[in-house]
Amino acid sequence: EALDYGVKSIKTFNDLFGKYPYPSFSVVQTEFPSGMEYPGIVYISDDYYNKDINNTPLIITIVHEVAHQWWYGIVGNDQIDEAWLDESFAAYSETIFIEKEFGKQSAQGYFEDTVKQSVEEAISTKQIDGVIVKSLKDFTSWDDYGPTVYDGGALMLSQLREKLGNKVFFDILKRYVSEYKYKIAKTQDFVDICEEVSGKQLDNFFEPWLSKN
């Protein structure tokens, strides 16, 4: 099953983001507590291989770490000051994969129950302020970092897709990969690509997510 979803993830993201550039890819069962990505290889917790538990953590963790092959592995970023550029993209890639593999209804349910709920709860309890671009030193705890860097950015990407439409959104991702392959991209680089591909001025969309008013 782990192999199956590793292969399916590579194929899905090849089609949507651009070609995986290496001749091999390894999914390794380890004692690592969750998942960890490296170029060409990912570590997946052996806890997720337990047949007595639901297989969702295994699938989602593999999909997330495979997505990192593009978001950090191919398009690099500053993981201290702009961590959202890989974690948010990998987190939203989970929903994209579920949509392609299991259908829009399943993807919507997953997104609502994980990403959207996480952000709404964190904002309502004032654990986060909704701004996704922060340096590591500016986060108070995992309760701040997780909902911001993973889920906050994923929610923003979902809303961007809704605003621009499927074709433009995925054209943006392919262009982003093509333009910044093996380079270090910054937040403004992604914003510029969005505006170039869409032909729209998007300051009003991005500003609430990227900076405090």
Side-chain angles (χ1 to χ4, degrees):
E1 195 167 43
L3 175 62
D4 186 35
Y5 281 101
V7 170
K8 287 178 177 177
S9 299
I10 291 281
K11 288 182 176 179
T12 296
F13 300 146
N14 263 349
D15 291 340
L16 297 176
F17 305 154
K19 186 171 179 173
Y20 175 75
Y22 307 114
S24 64
F25 180 70
S26 299
V27 177
V28 182
Q29 180 180 352
T30 71
E31 294 181 358
F32 191 84
S34 54
M36 178 57 68
E37 73 279 2
Y38 304 95
I41 184 171
V42 297
Y43 291 172
I44 308 297
S45 171
D46 52 9
D47 290 340
Y48 299 156
Y49 288 78
N50 186 338
K51 292 186 180 295
D52 295 330
I53 65 170
N54 158 335
N55 67 352
T56 300
L58 177 66
I59 294 170
I60 292 300
T61 305
I62 289 173
V63 170
H64 181 96
E65 305 308 341
V66 170
H68 271 303
Q69 300 304 304
W70 283 263
W71 317 122
Y72 129 95
I74 297 175
V75 179
N77 64 288
D78 182 336
Q79 294 176 301
I80 297 297
D81 289 331
E82 295 184 304
W84 85 275
L85 282 172
D86 64 272
E87 291 299 357
S88 294
F89 280 70
Y92 188 54
S93 295
E94 299 166 18
T95 296
I96 291 171
F97 178 83
I98 292 170
E99 180 181 327
K100 297 300 180 183
E101 184 69 17
F102 301 107
K104 290 183 179 180
Q105 188 172 349
S106 294
Q108 185 63 29
Y110 175 78
F111 185 81
E112 294 279 343
D113 292 344
T114 55
V115 172
K116 194 170 182 181
Q117 183 174 316
S118 167
V119 174
E120 288 176 350
E121 287 180 356
I123 288 176
S124 69
T125 56
K126 299 184 177 179
Q127 291 175 321
I128 68 173
D129 60 12
V131 177
I132 62 175
V133 184
K134 294 181 183 178
S135 177
L136 185 62
K137 64 182 174 55
D138 296 325
F139 291 99
T140 57
S141 67
W142 176 256
D143 291 336
D144 181 6
Y145 185 89
T148 297
V149 170
Y150 288 73
D151 299 322
L155 181 58
M156 188 202 75
L157 290 171
S158 174
Q159 292 183 2
L160 180 67
R161 180 182 178 186
E162 187 174 335
K163 180 178 178 65
L164 300 180
N166 274 346
K167 183 181 186 308
V168 172
F169 179 76
F170 286 109
D171 283 350
I172 285 168
L173 296 187
K174 283 184 176 179
R175 173 79 173 275
Y176 183 49
V177 171
S178 175
E179 288 272 329
Y180 290 97
K181 185 176 184 178
Y182 309 137
K183 299 176 184 177
I184 302 297
K186 296 184 178 298
T187 295
Q188 189 60 49
D189 296 324
F190 178 68
V191 173
D192 290 345
I193 292 286
C194 290
E195 292 187 334
E196 289 169 16
V197 173
S198 69
K200 297 179 183 292
Q201 205 278 334
L202 296 169
D203 283 353
N204 289 340
F205 172 81
F206 281 112
E207 186 175 354
W209 295 99
L210 303 183
S211 62
K212 292 181 181 178
N213 292 325

